[in-house]
Amino acid sequence: MIAAIGVVAAVYAVWLYLGLLQTIVVSLILAGIYLILFHTRWCYVAIKTAPRDLRALWCYLKILWITRSLSRKNWTLPDIFHETVQRNPNKPCFLFQDEVWTFKEVEDYSLRVTAVLKKHGVKKGSIVGLLVNNSPQMPALWLGNARLGGITPLINTNQRGNALLHSISVAKCDVLIFSDEYQSAMQDISSQLDPALKLFKFSHRPLNTTKAEKNASGDGISDLTSLLEITPPAPWSLADADGFQGKLLYIYTSGTTGLPKAAVISNSRFVFMACGLHNMRLNSSDIVYCPLPLYHTAGGVVSVGQALVFGCTVVLKSKFSASQYFPDCAKYKATAAHYIGEMCRYVLATPPSPADKQHNVRVIYGNGLRPQIWTEFVTRFNIKYVTEFYGATEGNANIANTDGTPGAIGFVSRIFPKVYPIAIIKVDQETGEPIRDASGLCQFAQADEPGVFVGKISPNNPTREYLGYVDKAASDKKVVRDVFTHGDAAFISGDILVADELGYLYFRDRTGDTFRWRGENVSTSEVEAAISTVADHRDAVVYGVMVPNTEGRAGMCGIVDRDGTLDLQRLARDLARDLPPYARPVFLRVMASMDMTGTFKMKKTDLQREGFNPSLVKDDKLYYLDLKQGKYLPLGSEEYEKILKGTIRL
């Protein structure tokens, strides 16, 4: 306190003697000398990261400008898209197979949807579910509903049975539109559906082709495609909805650990997610290649948003093909391409060809490009920029790697961290609960110390708001309080991240996936990457399994071997070289195929439940690691019993 008073007095004396301007100059010089002498490392970090942070700050300010401008107008997505259409009516909006849909054609189609749905009783607040495959019509369908003030749950087209029924019921759908290829899936659950649910069957037909008029499909279900063909577009008007902050879509979580949860996407959040990517490396003249499913945030919001909000041309695919990824980019003259999950690994695993570099792709963006293959991928396919981003569908902790640092998923500024309040907090390894200091606030992880990623919640800021799930109880579980200050709240991601000295963030694992073995924490994502790298980019999923009378969980790996070419001796040898002893899988499960989510994430819940018990694992081969020989040996009922009794030591 006395020192502070002395400094103030000295500055005041200099002011009186030299004047204001000289005082400011002297103060800055003294401050600089102080920082260099007493905070040398901070100065180094600041100089090193200033270009990155200032560029990101400029992008962030542009996002705030756009979102606040739209907030003042109180526009919804149909209104925003209409302005885009006015600028580019005849420009291609969506390219799909051999079809070219202009911006005006997409809007006209959506206006037909508005007219049909309104005639069938859809109004503000109605819930109209979509179980529709990728096509230009899909975004037009939910735009037409949004113009009436309806909300659209985008249902995962891979769901069947109980999962499909759950998705329809948890969203409280009043109407369901489903593609004709999913008719059998709907028939399987028809007896369990609410009788009040209105069903429409949709058939994809190329643009400007028609069929004979038909209002029903013979089973009492209205044929939406035929109705759209005979219905003129509704007159354009501002959407009758709840405005920029109103609900637009429900998008379901991937379902890697159980039944999917419906996350709320508002108009403002849709715009924020589209803006966040666009302001990094894209411009309105880009042609964006998107082979991702449109029922998920990545494809249906981030990529589709480039067309609806910014006027880019977006290439849609019915499904992802690793061998056609870059040939498609060349065919459609794409300048940007989207990836997610394990896509890059699958593309890298294709045989090298001249097509690898015969494209115009300037930037790829997405999440899931593993550090182990990052450099190899961009070198082989001649990619100039990579924008790796991170963010949960339901959350507000969204970040991006703006400068292409290999392996990083984003960064936290070391110069002005409070501008975008995100952090990594310490948690208890056993309970997952935040570790707090004496005052009750969360403790923050230091550089290179793993912790759970959080983002501060600010309800009136589109970049910081947290809308959560349709299920309020599920939403509340993702909120932690008293984080930065007493009384605040933050979204807790459930992902373990680590930040280096410069603030770059790296993904480590999911909190529920990391396990402890031989007194050490094992990151499943790191072990999966190591195994896939040495095993010719095969699918590999790692999880911990309980072994009776043994502390912790033993590592187990499910690995795909479709053609019987997996060399187990080589695998054991390579893993001994690349992984510490505690991280090497104790058990192997060799499979012909692996269940994946629609966003190319590997499912492990069922595998973990079956463990290494031969009586539960019927069709796959099991192996255990023999410590003496350093080899994987077959695991049958006899070996299983010896492991339980402790005769075979792990």
Side-chain angles (χ1 to χ4, degrees):
M1 185 65 181
I2 296 174
I5 294 172
V7 170
V8 172
V11 170
Y12 182 66
V14 173
W15 185 4
L16 291 176
Y17 183 70
L18 296 177
L20 177 61
L21 182 59
Q22 289 86 345
T23 302
I24 293 174
V25 172
V26 171
S27 298
L28 290 174
I29 292 172
L30 291 174
I33 294 172
Y34 170 78
L35 288 173
I36 292 172
L37 291 176
F38 298 101
H39 296 280
T40 306
R41 201 63 193 170
W42 185 91
C43 291
Y44 164 78
V45 171
I47 293 170
K48 190 87 173 172
T49 61
R52 175 199 71 184
D53 292 8
L54 291 172
R55 183 170 55 248
L57 179 61
W58 175 241
C59 291
Y60 184 57
L61 291 175
K62 287 195 289 184
I63 293 170
L64 291 178
W65 174 266
I66 292 170
T67 54
R68 287 179 182 176
S69 173
L70 293 172
S71 182
R72 285 194 299 270
K73 296 175 182 177
N74 207 28
W75 280 1
T76 62
L77 249 296
D79 308 323
I80 297 166
F81 181 56
H82 181 68
E83 185 178 61
T84 306
V85 173
Q86 296 300 103
R87 294 196 305 267
N88 312 283
N90 299 315
K91 179 183 177 181
C93 178
F94 294 124
L95 305 179
F96 179 71
Q97 297 172 356
D98 294 324
E99 301 175 41
V100 179
W101 287 64
T102 67
F103 281 86
K104 188 176 187 307
E105 287 169 334
V106 173
E107 184 175 54
D108 285 348
Y109 193 93
S110 75
L111 288 166
R112 291 179 185 273
V113 174
T114 299
V116 171
L117 293 181
K118 185 175 182 179
K119 184 177 179 181
H120 285 79
V122 173
K123 58 185 184 299
K124 186 175 181 179
S126 295
I127 311 295
V128 180
L130 281 189
L131 181 66
V132 176
N133 216 334
N134 282 14
S135 66
Q137 292 97 323
M138 184 187 176
L141 287 168
W142 64 252
L143 279 169
N145 181 43
R147 192 173 289 107
L148 294 170
I151 304 165
T152 308
L154 304 181
I155 299 173
N156 187 327
T157 56
N158 294 304
Q159 291 177 0
R160 298 292 183 270
N162 188 46
L164 176 57
L165 184 66
H166 166 81
S167 294
I168 297 169
S169 59
V170 76
K172 300 180 174 61
C173 290
D174 303 301
V175 176
L176 181 68
I177 300 170
F178 65 92
S179 295
D180 50 9
E181 63 250 59
Y182 306 121
Q183 175 133 12
S184 61
M186 291 301 301
Q187 288 174 340
D188 290 342
I189 62 169
S190 59
S191 62
Q192 299 169 272
L193 293 172
D194 187 336
L197 179 67
K198 296 180 182 178
L199 297 177
F200 289 90
K201 184 163 66 174
F202 170 78
S203 303
H204 174 79
R205 296 176 195 164
L207 187 64
N208 299 323
T209 62
T210 59
K211 288 189 176 182
E213 180 178 325
K214 185 173 70 170
N215 291 322
S217 55
D219 50 13
I221 299 175
S222 298
D223 187 327
L224 179 63
T225 306
S226 296
L227 292 172
L228 291 171
E229 290 170 352
I230 63 174
T231 304
W236 184 87
S237 63
L238 286 173
D240 180 21
D242 289 331
F244 192 58
Q245 301 297 334
K247 296 177 182 178
L248 176 68
L249 304 169
Y250 293 156
I251 295 183
Y252 297 82
T253 57
S254 297
T256 53
T257 56
L259 292 173
K261 296 185 284 289
V264 178
I265 304 294
S266 64
N267 293 275
S268 61
R269 181 152 177 77
F270 186 104
V271 171
F272 166 63
M273 287 192 281
C275 282
L277 172 74
H278 190 84
N279 287 330
M280 298 298 175
R281 298 283 183 189
L282 299 182
N283 57 69
S284 60
S285 63
D286 274 315
I287 299 175
V288 177
Y289 179 67
C290 175
L292 281 61
L294 300 189
Y295 57 71
H296 194 263
T297 310
V301 175
V302 175
S303 277
V304 166
Q306 302 312 308
L308 304 188
V309 180
F310 294 104
C312 297
T313 297
V314 176
V315 181
L316 303 176
K317 288 280 290 182
S318 56
K319 62 180 180 178
F320 163 73
S321 167
S323 62
Q324 291 302 305
Y325 192 91
F326 282 107
D328 274 345
C329 288
K331 173 184 175 181
Y332 293 106
K333 298 181 173 61
T335 54
H338 199 163
Y339 64 86
I340 196 171
E342 301 293 333
M343 275 188 179
C344 290
R345 182 167 59 81
Y346 294 149
V347 175
L348 191 62
T350 60
S353 78
D356 291 349
K357 291 182 170 66
Q358 294 173 350
H359 57 78
N360 298 318
V361 174
R362 180 185 77 259
V363 55
I364 60 171
Y365 64 89
N367 58 292
L369 180 53
R370 296 187 185 234
Q372 292 81 2
I373 65 169
W374 185 300
T375 302
E376 183 183 358
F377 189 92
V378 298
T379 301
R380 173 178 164 183
F381 298 107
N382 195 30
I383 304 299
K384 189 174 183 180
Y385 301 112
V386 177
T387 301
E388 172 84 6
F389 60 81
Y390 165 92
T393 297
E394 72 280 12
N396 70 344
N398 304 283
I399 51 176
N401 178 345
T402 59
D403 60 7
T405 298
I409 62 172
F411 70 93
V412 57
S413 175
R414 299 302 194 194
I415 305 174
F416 28 77
K418 292 186 178 180
V419 171
Y420 194 68
I422 54 177
I424 299 175
I425 63 171
K426 298 179 182 180
V427 296
D428 185 281
Q429 292 287 344
E430 299 298 326
T431 65
E433 289 297 313
I435 297 174
R436 299 182 181 273
D437 59 22
S439 69
L441 295 178
C442 291
Q443 292 186 18
F444 299 114
Q446 300 301 308
D448 299 317
E449 182 181 14
V452 175
F453 190 53
V454 299
K456 186 175 181 179
I457 297 171
S458 301
N460 297 321
N461 182 344
T463 69
R464 309 287 343 126
E465 65 182 347
Y466 170 62
L467 301 176
Y469 305 107
V470 174
D471 183 348
K472 186 178 183 304
S475 299
D476 292 343
K477 291 179 181 178
K478 303 287 283 189
V479 176
V480 59
R481 303 191 182 278
D482 298 330
V483 180
F484 298 90
T485 59
H486 290 287
D488 71 359
F491 166 75
I492 185 164
S493 66
D495 289 332
I496 299 173
L497 271 58
V498 64
D500 65 14
E501 183 185 27
L502 301 179
Y504 287 106
L505 298 169
Y506 300 87
F507 180 83
R508 279 289 181 86
D509 219 341
R510 292 285 300 171
T511 48
D513 288 348
T514 295
F515 59 89
R516 198 163 179 82
W517 180 245
R518 294 183 180 173
E520 300 283 353
N521 293 323
V522 180
S523 167
T524 61
S525 63
E526 291 183 1
V527 178
E528 286 166 358
I531 293 171
S532 180
T533 300
V534 301
D536 303 318
H537 303 295
R538 297 171 189 268
D539 287 335
V541 60
V542 174
Y543 44 96
V545 294
M546 298 289 291
V547 180
N549 304 313
T550 305
E551 184 180 355
R553 293 175 182 267
M556 185 165 183
C557 173
I559 187 168
V560 172
D561 183 28
R562 294 185 178 89
D563 52 8
T565 58
L566 179 64
D567 186 336
L568 292 180
Q569 290 192 15
R570 178 192 159 202
L571 179 64
R573 185 173 61 250
D574 289 346
L575 292 182
R577 179 194 65 211
D578 294 346
L579 292 174
Y582 64 84
R584 297 169 200 161
V586 176
F587 301 107
L588 287 184
R589 177 171 178 168
V590 179
M591 305 178 291
S593 63
M594 186 175 295
D595 288 339
M596 305 283 285
T597 70
T599 50
F600 298 90
K601 297 176 184 175
M602 291 174 280
K603 296 182 178 181
K604 62 178 71 177
T605 305
D606 291 342
L607 298 178
Q608 193 166 22
R609 184 176 60 250
E610 293 171 357
F612 61 100
N613 187 343
S615 64
L616 298 178
V617 181
K618 300 294 185 182
D619 301 322
D620 303 329
K621 297 177 181 178
L622 295 175
Y623 300 86
Y624 73 96
L625 181 61
D626 184 279
L627 296 177
K628 292 182 179 179
Q629 300 183 56
K631 297 179 179 179
Y632 285 105
L633 303 179
L635 195 165
S637 300
E638 183 179 345
E639 289 79 12
Y640 177 73
E641 292 298 326
K642 288 182 178 180
I643 291 172
L644 296 187
K645 295 175 181 177
T647 308
I648 293 178
R649 299 188 63 183
L650 303 176

